[in-house]
Amino acid sequence: MLIWGAKRRPSGPKHDRRNADRPQPNGGTGRSATDFLAVLREQAVLDQAQLDRLQSAMEGGRFDCLPVLATELGLIAEVDLSHALARFCGFGVLAPGDLPEKAVLTDLLPPELCRRQRIVPVREDAASATVAIVDVFDHDLMGALAYSLARDVHFLVVGPAACEAALRTLYGEDSVGNGEAGGNGDDEDVIDDALDRLEDVSRRAPIIRLTNHLFRTAFEQGATDIHVEPGETELRVRYRVDGMLVLPETYQKSLHNGLSTRLKILAGLNIAERRLPQDGRMKMVDRGREVDVRVSVLPTPHGESLVLRLLGRSLAASGFEGLGLDAAMIGSIERMTERPNGLFLVTGPTGSGKTTTLYTALARVNDRTRKIITVEDPVEYRIAGVTQVQAHADIGLDFAAALRSILRQDPDIVMIGEIRDAETARIAVQASLTGHLVLSTLHTNSAAATITRLIDMGLQPYLLAAVLNGVVAQRLLRLLCDACKTETPATDAERRLVARRRPEYAERPLRLARPVGCPHCAGTGYRGRTVVAEVLDLDRTARSMIADGASEAEIEAHANSLGMRSLASVGIGRVIAGDVCIEDVLRNLDLDGMPDLREAVS
């Protein structure tokens, strides 16, 4: 009798004779992986070079892991391979609708056995059972199942990734990829024998040390992202610090597979899938502070590129002051978010800190008296006391669909990760009109441009004038390192640029702070980032202008007359204060299109 969990032996005549007296499975008798490969070659599904590559990956002529190896090497899509195997063996293919509402056969096929042998129990009755398996050429396994279940067994084909997903649905997250109960608890076990080599490599000391080094370096440098980029001959790792990719490190290309496998295991991803993008999450601890890590995997010709986004869970704890906003801006934002209803927007390009500002506002209004629901893609920070919904556009749960359901949950405050389309904008306005405070982000270059953008998306000007509480447009600039920055006289071009916003410096001597570099800032000259923002707080006149169709320039001029400072003006003010360098302002802000000054300064 087959011992569950033992290494599988190649099927052959002597094993077939041993199982002759057992109940037999449906179909597949006498069919081998060699015959299947020949069919794939005849049907031009795989060419000879691909077959040679597949066969060279099979250790000692073993064919029991062919489905895993074929998909792992990217030779054929998993769904295509499953259907080809089903036709070849006379089996069916496991479909999502085939899964039972609750696990079956658990007394004879416990979860850990199913995980280890890649088995998905589908249904049973007194006379028969249906089981899906990954390896249809493991005749020992099929015979042992027929013998153990003591009834007719009907088999279905399931791919490796689909098997993992099905087991997770039936038994929960702990049944797949979290190791055996009572094990050593190191890392999650890989779900099939063919990938043992990758897991072994990923658990060796050099890979563990390299993984720990990457995170330790990122934490020490205050990085927000780790980029693992395989090249043709080397592996490059870069860190995004203060918005810039710095500190390139190169390693032997041979370390890439082990490193990527370890990171995918830690993030709960499918290590057998190498052809499709994947996204996952993990948690790390940095000096007692829990850090969420979002993992993105992207296939490239030289291997999988991974980007690890480090999301500190306490970023919003310091409030608006910690973001770099001044007292006047903070007062305006607090008034906008204290209103019981209306629409509050934070705008700017990707990477301008919109999400952090929005979470800071959300943390301020979060109390026990109000129900707050968010819909995000992805959920970046977990907030206690807030109901957070992850959008899944691939299954129809986009922002608009989620919002329709959220409004039936009786919320007081709704946060939308981003207004991306006209339908989402329309529902956000309707929610604002019906007594909800709605917070969201939008991609525009200035606060006044937000109004034009929303009208272009189909919103009626009079409705927008009625619901819009205000807009914050922002950018992130790198702070100069206090330990090493130095001041030098401004050039004529720099003085002219500053004088456009601050006329008093047209003739006055001006000294500007410059980056130098020291051990405290890892030689970059910068340490941390700050927000520069313009805050559009609408009064009655501004609302009337919006309703009457006033232009972006007219609305901006009116706001400036009431004291709104533009992004450029705020940025130049931070330059004069010695907080940021003028080159960084030019890189991030549009200073009224002055290419001559931009070129002279740079």
Side-chain angles (χ1 to χ4, degrees):
M1 178 177 178
L2 179 68
I3 300 175
W4 295 117
K7 289 292 184 180
R8 298 173 189 158
R9 291 167 290 192
S11 59
K14 66 178 182 179
H15 300 296
D16 293 339
R17 287 194 300 270
R18 185 190 62 195
N19 297 333
D21 296 332
R22 300 177 179 178
Q24 296 299 310
N26 64 304
T29 304
R31 297 178 182 270
S32 70
T34 304
D35 297 333
F36 178 67
L37 291 178
V39 170
L40 292 182
R41 180 69 182 92
E42 292 171 2
Q43 297 179 353
V45 176
L46 298 178
D47 58 30
Q48 190 59 50
Q50 291 173 317
L51 287 174
D52 292 341
R53 185 183 176 196
L54 180 57
Q55 290 175 327
S56 67
M58 298 176 182
E59 296 181 348
R62 289 173 55 188
F63 294 98
D64 55 315
C65 298
L66 183 148
V68 174
L69 288 173
T71 53
E72 177 195 359
L73 295 173
L75 301 178
I76 184 172
E78 179 174 301
V79 63
D80 296 335
L81 180 62
S82 297
H83 283 282
L85 285 168
R87 289 192 300 270
F88 180 77
C89 297
F91 296 165
V93 176
L94 179 69
D98 294 333
L99 290 179
E101 293 184 359
K102 63 178 182 178
V104 298
L105 296 167
T106 53
D107 54 337
L108 298 174
L109 302 177
E112 186 51 37
L113 170 65
C114 295
R115 182 193 64 78
R116 189 166 58 246
Q117 301 290 344
R118 304 189 301 274
I119 301 167
V120 181
V122 178
R123 51 183 168 267
E124 66 168 330
D125 56 37
S128 65
T130 300
V131 177
I133 60 174
V134 169
D135 193 352
V136 296
F137 301 115
D138 190 342
H139 302 299
D140 270 348
L141 173 64
M142 297 166 69
L145 285 169
Y147 182 86
S148 300
L149 298 178
R151 66 194 86 179
D152 292 335
V153 179
H154 300 276
F155 285 95
L156 302 175
V157 178
V158 60
C163 177
E164 180 180 356
L167 292 176
R168 186 177 288 111
T169 299
L170 290 177
Y171 304 119
E173 294 288 339
D174 291 339
S175 70
V176 181
N178 288 336
E180 297 182 18
N184 57 22
D186 288 343
D187 285 326
E188 296 90 337
D189 289 337
V190 186
I191 63 170
D192 63 78
D193 295 339
L195 300 178
D196 278 348
R197 296 188 307 279
L198 280 177
E199 186 186 18
D200 289 343
V201 170
S202 73
R203 296 172 69 173
R204 291 174 187 166
I207 296 298
I208 293 175
R209 286 197 297 268
L210 176 57
T211 305
N212 294 339
H213 167 74
L214 299 187
F215 283 107
R216 184 168 58 251
T217 302
F219 293 147
E220 289 174 353
Q221 299 301 327
T224 56
D225 302 85
I226 304 173
H227 293 246
V228 180
E229 303 165 331
E232 185 175 358
T233 60
E234 65 182 17
L235 173 65
R236 182 173 68 169
V237 177
R238 295 190 288 173
Y239 304 87
R240 188 174 294 280
V241 180
D242 299 330
M244 302 292 287
L245 285 173
V246 297
L247 303 176
E249 300 175 346
T250 58
Y251 301 92
Q252 297 177 2
K253 179 65 180 298
S254 59
L255 293 173
H256 174 256
N257 281 344
L259 177 62
S260 63
T261 298
R262 179 168 179 80
L263 292 172
K264 288 166 71 175
I265 289 173
L266 292 174
L269 300 178
N270 178 11
I271 71 170
E273 180 56 73
R274 300 280 182 100
R275 300 165 298 106
L276 297 174
Q278 297 188 71
D279 295 290
R281 301 182 78 103
M282 67 176 83
K283 287 185 176 66
M284 304 296 290
V285 177
D286 173 28
R287 289 161 289 190
R289 179 174 66 99
E290 194 172 56
V291 177
D292 284 329
V293 182
R294 198 172 74 217
V295 181
S296 173
V297 182
L298 184 69
T300 75
H302 302 301
E304 291 175 309
S305 172
L306 294 94
V307 175
L308 315 177
R309 171 67 58 87
L310 310 179
L311 304 170
R313 308 188 97 191
S314 59
L315 287 180
S318 58
F320 291 116
E321 295 84 357
L323 300 180
L325 300 176
D326 62 31
M329 293 178 181
I330 294 173
S332 295
I333 294 173
E334 289 179 344
R335 287 193 299 273
M336 297 173 191
T337 55
E338 283 172 354
R339 295 168 185 166
N341 59 284
L343 182 61
F344 170 73
L345 297 173
V346 182
T347 75
T350 300
S352 60
K354 300 186 300 296
T355 300
T356 301
T357 300
L358 207 58
Y359 272 101
T360 303
L362 202 63
R364 185 185 174 280
V365 300
N366 182 21
D367 59 44
R368 296 181 179 180
T369 66
R370 290 180 280 193
K371 183 178 180 68
I372 302 174
I373 305 180
T374 75
V375 53
E376 308 165 63
D377 185 19
V379 176
E380 295 197 1
Y381 304 103
R382 314 288 184 179
I383 303 179
V386 175
T387 302
Q388 296 175 272
V389 178
Q390 168 71 58
H392 290 285
D394 53 339
I395 61 172
L397 185 62
D398 56 12
F399 284 130
L403 273 174
R404 284 191 289 269
S405 296
I406 284 173
L407 295 178
R408 292 193 287 270
Q409 291 280 311
D410 189 30
D412 297 293
I413 300 173
V414 176
M415 189 190 91
I416 308 167
E418 181 183 345
I419 294 179
R420 297 177 178 175
D421 52 48
E423 185 177 9
T424 304
R426 179 180 56 79
I427 298 175
V429 167
Q430 289 177 348
S432 302
L433 287 169
T434 54
H436 304 88
L437 176 62
V438 179
L439 292 72
S440 189
T441 69
L442 196 66
H443 285 279
T444 60
N445 291 327
S446 68
T450 303
I451 296 169
T452 304
R453 174 72 185 280
L454 290 171
I455 292 174
D456 290 343
M457 293 175 72
L459 295 183
Q460 295 296 327
Y462 72 91
L463 287 178
L464 186 59
V467 302
L468 187 61
N469 290 350
V471 182
V472 176
Q474 68 178 55
R475 303 289 190 276
L476 285 177
L477 299 182
R478 292 181 294 173
L479 286 169
L480 288 166
C481 176
D482 288 330
C484 65
K485 67 181 180 182
T486 186
E487 287 189 355
T488 61
T491 66
D492 291 341
E494 290 171 338
R495 185 180 293 107
R496 292 200 308 273
L497 190 151
V498 171
R500 290 287 296 269
R501 298 293 174 179
R502 302 287 290 272
E504 64 269 26
Y505 287 95
E507 302 296 334
R508 183 189 302 181
L510 178 65
R511 295 178 64 86
L512 300 181
R514 318 281 186 183
V516 177
C518 67
H520 185 66
C521 60
T524 65
Y526 301 94
R527 185 74 175 178
R529 287 193 287 179
T530 186
V531 169
V532 292
E534 60 182 21
V535 180
L536 176 61
D537 194 354
L538 302 179
D539 63 355
R540 290 185 177 180
T541 301
R543 295 181 187 280
S544 297
M545 293 174 67
I546 295 172
D548 294 338
S551 68
E552 176 183 324
E554 291 172 334
I555 295 171
E556 186 168 313
H558 173 71
N560 290 335
S561 70
L562 297 178
M564 184 185 83
R565 290 183 297 155
S566 67
L567 281 168
S569 178
V570 174
I572 291 298
R574 301 298 293 271
V575 169
I576 295 172
D579 298 328
V580 301
C581 72
I582 197 165
E583 291 82 4
D584 214 40
V585 171
L586 286 169
R587 185 174 63 87
N588 287 278
L589 302 179
D590 179 15
L591 301 185
D592 296 338
M594 295 182 283
D596 55 332
L597 295 180
R598 189 182 301 273
E599 182 177 351
V601 171
S602 59

